[in-house]
Amino acid sequence: MPDTKPDFDIRAFRNALVEWFRREGKDYPWRRTTDPWHILVSELMLQQTTIPTVLGRYERWMRQFPTPGHLASVDEQTALRSWEGLGYYRRVRSLQAIAREIVHEFGGEFPDNPEGLKRLPGIGPYTSGALLSFAFNKAAPIVDANVARVLARIDNYSVPVDSTEGLKYLWTRAENLVDPEHAREFNSAIMELGQTYCRISAPDCLLCPVRSFCSAEQPEMLPVKNPKPEITRVEHHDVLYLRGKSILLARCPEGKRHAGMYRFPQREDDHTLSLPHVLKQTYSVTRYKVTRYIHHVTESPAFLEGEELVPLDKVHELPMASPDRKALNSPVLGKLLDHIR
């Protein structure tokens, strides 16, 4: 690791990056607006979700909730249902909490300073920097995975970027580099550089627009990160129980990952060992690899807390995580459901 930051002309670096972005920057819907609500929505959608997935949902979602007031006025189930398919549902809960704060405490207007933004629930340094720079063109730093990769390579920085020391270095560096006159374009540019020329594998150093400022000796080896936790394999056994034209579902309690959302009721292994499964699913959740078996039961199971019979014609209105919705829409379960509809 270098003892000091590489010595280069910061103004020239800013100009090179911004000029490149003006020529080659991609056109996304959230780059066509300076409305802080629209920008906030895009930022939360883009957390842990790919750009193509967000492109398919962003404009439709914004038509449903064009202002904080629109989201603030609906119940949580409606908000959760609107987010279905994007995953990580804490994001839409956070959005709704922010929307209500904006409406009730700020008269529907976003604060344009760090102090005011810190008063909003769930707004951390990255989101604050994104709002200040993209909505208000203020010189605020942002550091995401793409920015961290660009900065680590430019500075040939080999301390793990997800360590306390590494994060402090990156945020300080980003604050020193951001263009005070063109913050919106600069932050968009440095993020996009990490998505394109300075990508994770096979960085295109030869054509990089800021290659003359880069001191990376082995760019493909940077950034350094702490080892990831091992993947944990888990197995779930759920039941499919139908009575008349209703289906048994469980509402996830508060404090759980999918709080307020509906899912197939889960049972311990010994309750389902003798039952054949009608559907098997595999999916990943953070560091967990989940295998789920859904067992069709014909005799009424004992209902547990939070479980209820829901009319089948109302199920589409309920918020559900993607694996549960996919299971309901699968051909196998579809045949069973069609018999009683």
Side-chain angles (χ1 to χ4, degrees):
M1 183 193 75
D3 294 328
T4 59
K5 301 177 185 67
D7 184 19
F8 62 68
D9 187 335
I10 290 179
R11 182 180 293 273
F13 173 77
R14 292 168 177 162
N15 290 341
L17 197 56
V18 169
E19 288 172 9
W20 162 76
F21 181 74
R22 289 171 177 169
R23 295 193 309 270
E24 298 187 26
K26 292 183 175 63
D27 178 30
Y28 297 128
W30 47 88
R31 287 183 176 167
R32 303 174 202 147
T33 180
T34 57
D35 185 318
W37 172 243
H38 291 227
I39 289 165
L40 176 65
V41 170
S42 71
E43 289 298 332
L44 266 68
M45 280 191 173
L46 288 164
Q47 290 176 8
Q48 299 172 301
T49 305
T50 63
I51 289 177
T53 299
V54 172
L55 283 171
R57 297 292 301 274
Y58 170 78
E59 290 181 301
R60 185 169 75 235
W61 200 89
M62 291 309 309
R63 286 193 292 271
Q64 186 177 2
F65 303 112
T67 69
H70 287 84
L71 185 61
S73 65
V74 302
D75 59 37
E76 185 182 77
Q77 281 201 16
T78 301
L80 290 169
R81 183 70 179 92
S82 74
W83 202 262
E84 195 168 298
L86 286 168
Y88 298 97
Y89 291 89
R90 67 181 183 277
R91 295 179 296 175
V92 73
R93 291 192 185 92
S94 179
L95 265 176
Q96 190 168 49
I98 293 169
R100 288 171 174 166
E101 190 76 6
I102 289 293
V103 170
H104 299 139
E105 301 298 328
F106 291 90
E109 298 293 328
F110 271 79
D112 62 356
N113 56 78
E115 295 73 28
L117 291 173
K118 285 179 182 177
R119 292 171 56 192
L120 297 175
I123 296 290
Y126 173 82
T127 307
S128 175
L131 286 168
L132 290 171
S133 58
F134 298 145
F136 304 109
N137 200 32
K138 294 192 173 184
I142 58 171
V143 176
D144 69 353
N146 290 304
V147 175
R149 184 164 56 257
V150 170
L151 295 180
R153 287 174 175 172
I154 284 174
D155 290 354
N156 199 34
Y157 187 69
S158 58
V159 171
V161 293
D162 50 357
S163 67
T164 301
E165 179 184 348
L167 286 169
K168 182 178 179 181
Y169 178 94
L170 294 173
W171 278 98
T172 300
R173 186 63 160 149
E175 185 174 19
N176 291 336
L177 289 178
V178 64
D179 191 328
E181 297 179 4
H182 308 289
R184 180 183 298 118
E185 290 176 301
F186 179 88
N187 279 343
S188 295
I190 198 167
M191 292 175 69
E192 185 148 320
L193 187 71
Q195 297 165 3
T196 54
Y197 293 99
C198 204
R199 54 187 173 266
I200 296 174
S201 59
D204 192 350
C205 299
L206 183 62
L207 296 179
C208 176
V210 291
R211 63 186 181 276
S212 63
F213 302 93
C214 186
S215 59
E217 296 170 0
Q218 293 181 294
E220 68 281 356
M221 303 299 292
L222 296 171
V224 175
K225 295 183 180 180
N226 287 312
K228 290 184 178 180
E230 292 186 9
I231 297 296
T232 301
R233 297 184 179 276
V234 296
E235 191 174 283
H236 291 168
H237 292 266
D238 296 355
V239 296
L240 169 66
Y241 174 66
L242 304 167
R243 180 191 293 176
K245 294 188 176 182
S246 296
I247 183 172
L248 182 65
L249 294 175
R251 185 176 181 182
C252 300
E254 291 301 317
K256 295 294 184 179
R257 184 168 176 271
H258 289 134
M261 304 183 74
Y262 286 78
R263 57 159 293 148
F264 285 93
Q266 190 171 328
R267 293 294 185 267
E268 298 297 328
D269 295 3
D270 56 355
H271 287 235
T272 56
L273 281 174
S274 62
L275 298 172
H277 65 270
V278 292
L279 187 68
K280 175 183 177 182
Q281 287 181 304
T282 57
Y283 54 92
S284 297
V285 181
T286 59
R287 63 182 184 87
Y288 296 96
K289 183 75 172 180
V290 181
T291 300
R292 176 166 74 163
Y293 298 91
I294 298 180
H295 306 265
H296 183 202
V297 297
T298 54
E299 295 185 7
S300 177
F303 289 17
L304 302 182
E305 185 177 356
E307 295 180 357
E308 60 183 284
L309 287 166
V310 177
L312 285 168
D313 60 359
K314 299 293 184 182
V315 170
H316 70 281
E317 300 174 5
L318 301 178
M320 303 183 81
S322 292
D324 294 272
R325 185 68 68 187
K326 288 177 181 177
L328 274 175
N329 294 334
S330 69
V332 174
L333 266 60
K335 288 180 181 179
L336 288 172
L337 299 176
D338 286 343
H339 283 307
I340 63 170
R341 280 193 171 107

